[in-house]
Every structure is written in C-alpha cells, then in structure tokens.
Amino acid sequence: MQLEYSIDNYILKVLDEGHADIVLDFYKRNKESFNPYETAKPENFYSTEYIALMLNTEYNAIIKGKYVRFYLFEKDKPDYVIATFSFSNIILGYTKSCNIGYKVDIAYQNRGIATKFIPICVDLVIADKNIHRFNSYVLTTNYPSLKVMEKLNWIDEGIAHKYAYLDHDWRDHKHFVYINN
C-alpha cells in the first residue's frame, strides 16, 4: 500500500508522529463536533505528546497490516487535515474483514467528503488486503453518518445493541456492511 495518493484536488495519506501538530489541530478544532460520537478520551489526549504516540502506534500497526488511517488534505492546504478514514480490526483469516470509521472537519461537513472518499479508501484497502467485508457501526442518533451509509447503499444489518460505551452509557449502533464481491 502506498502511503500517499493524489485524487483530484485532494491528498490522501498516512501520517507518522512528525505530523502530530497538524493532527492535534484537527482534533482540537472538532472537539465539540466529534465528542458526542466517540468514547471518552484520556486526560492528555489533546497534547502533542499523546497525538505523536497515537500516530506512531498507528504507523506501526499499518506496517503490521492490522490498521490503516488515511488523512485527507486539500492540495492547496497540505497542513490542514479535513478528514480521516480508518480501518481497524483487520482480520486476514477466513473472514477477511475490518471495521471502518471516519471523521470530517466541521467546516467540511455536508459537502460530500465522506460519500466521495469512503469508496475510494475501501477500494485502496481491497487492493492491498483483499478485504471481503467492511463493517461500520453508526450511533443511532448520528443522522449525518446514517445518511452517508444510505447514500453509499451499504447493507443495514440492524441494531448492535449496547455496542459502545459513550457518554456514560452503553449505546446502540446501527450495523452496516459493504461486501466486496
């Protein structure tokens, strides 16, 4: 798998710890937008040191074939992250499956970024890992992401009851899948 792709007016790439400052900026800018849909973060999450460690861990997991996170930039703003697309729990055995997650900067939401780049990123992971099944778990109140899954025609497999611990409670998620035939 390449670590950088040029697509139209965008750059999609894997980052290492040397990019901690721009990734930290992304998370700080979007804290209020992302937090309702994510698990609790450690106290030191919003620090350069923590983000550098996270990026180093992600990069090592990419090398081991267990995880991939792409960061999206506009070509004319190469130091301003506008979205991320992650593939975790990569299983290359008999299921050839993984989970997908994504985040889009609040200033870029409702512009079709997720709808455009999820299929592109899925295709990159298929080409590299021959993944058969992609799982997406969406909080039942995350209406924008539910709409993205609908637009992409991912299969709705129903409710994953009490799937993730968010905001001091176990929360239901809708489970969507994409099957690579």
Side-chain angles (χ1 to χ4, degrees), residues 36 38-40 139 162-173:
E38 297 187 334
T39 58
L139 188 64
K162 301 193 182 303
Y163 177 74
Y165 195 73
L166 306 171
D167 197 24
H168 309 292
D169 196 16
W170 288 99
R171 309 282 299 276
D172 294 347
H173 284 62

Side-chain angles (χ1 to χ4, degrees), residues 15-21 48 51-57 59-60:
L15 300 180
D16 62 19
E17 67 271 9
H19 297 91
D21 288 338
T48 304
I51 298 296
L53 180 62
M54 180 185 82
L55 289 168
N56 183 278
T57 302
Y59 194 84
N60 287 328

